Amino acid sequence: MSIILLGPPGAGKGTQAQILVETRGMIQLSTGDMLREAKASGTEMGKKVAAIMDAGELVTDEIVIGLIEEKLEGDTGGGFIFDGFPRTLAQADALGALLEKHGQSLDAVIEMQVNDEVLVGRIVGRAEEARAAGKPVRADDNEESLKIRLMEYYKKTSPLIGYYYAKGDLKSVNGLGTIEEVQGEIAEVLGA
């Protein structure tokens, strides 16, 4: 089973992906993690990734697809969760072609729907609680950064919602419920 989790920053994609890894033995493919892993690996691909990242440039779709392909050729576990990828229509097409090449398909694209105002309030509140408790806070967990990140998400990633809806793959869940409520809705989509 392969699924994509879509949703704006702070919608809880990472939390839900972790639950799916623990409960269903799925493998989370987070592009950020894969790039960091590749950079540290010292392989040919890793050196290429390191050079691009060290120069502060964006890694090409081709490289990201290459890293995903390496994962698809390894242990498939209970399936894959694509987290943070695809972000664009070109990436969605490339991922579709890659899965097809490996005889796999996308089982669901789950959109975690949120209300932006509530989301911003939730994340800013979470950051304030962490500060009060002396815990580390993400540098970009403030209202200004969040609004910029949300704008970026809607500009680039929201076309994917229409793309997957047209393909009949899109399922939506309420991303503002409790962790357990969202987990339950996702389980329903996946046919628990």
Side-chain angles (χ1 to χ4, degrees):
M1 176 176 276
S2 293
I3 65 168
I4 293 173
L5 289 179
L6 282 180
K13 296 182 298 292
T15 301
Q16 292 302 326
Q18 205 41 57
I19 291 170
L20 290 169
V21 166
E22 288 163 15
T23 59
R24 292 173 175 258
M26 295 180 84
I27 297 169
Q28 179 182 8
L29 295 184
S30 155
T31 43
D33 292 348
M34 285 190 307
L35 290 169
R36 284 185 287 278
E37 199 180 286
K39 189 177 170 184
S41 72
T43 62
E44 221 32 66
M45 178 72 90
K47 288 176 190 153
K48 204 185 288 185
V49 168
I52 294 168
M53 288 171 79
D54 292 345
E57 292 169 21
L58 285 175
V59 178
T60 63
D61 287 357
E62 197 179 33
I63 288 176
V64 175
I65 286 287
L67 292 174
I68 290 173
E69 184 158 26
E70 280 178 9
K71 297 286 185 188
L72 292 180
E73 288 166 351
D75 174 24
T76 57
F80 295 101
I81 305 160
F82 295 97
D83 170 12
F85 187 88
R87 285 185 195 264
T88 63
L89 294 173
Q91 289 176 352
D93 282 337
L95 179 61
L98 182 62
L99 287 169
E100 203 172 294
K101 177 179 161 189
H102 286 269
Q104 298 180 23
S105 64
L106 212 46
D107 294 285
V109 177
I110 300 172
E111 177 200 9
M112 298 178 68
Q113 292 183 325
V114 294
N115 167 309
D116 290 356
E117 292 307 305
V118 175
L119 183 70
V120 170
R122 179 162 91 175
I123 290 178
V124 170
R126 192 170 63 194
E128 285 166 5
E129 281 172 26
R131 265 187 214 96
K135 291 186 180 146
V137 176
R138 273 179 63 160
D140 55 1
D141 272 1
N142 61 65
E143 199 160 340
E144 272 323 289
S145 292
L146 261 172
K147 286 185 172 166
I148 292 167
R149 283 160 60 203
L150 283 170
M151 188 51 67
E152 197 59 20
Y153 170 78
Y154 288 117
K155 272 198 310 215
K156 290 193 173 142
T157 310
S158 63
L160 291 173
I161 294 168
Y163 174 89
Y164 286 116
Y165 175 80
K167 286 176 151 287
D169 293 332
L170 189 72
K171 306 281 183 268
S172 297
V173 299
N174 173 9
L176 288 176
T178 64
I179 290 174
E180 292 75 19
E181 286 165 350
V182 177
Q183 180 185 353
E185 282 194 46
I186 290 174
E188 231 168 85
V189 166
L190 301 180

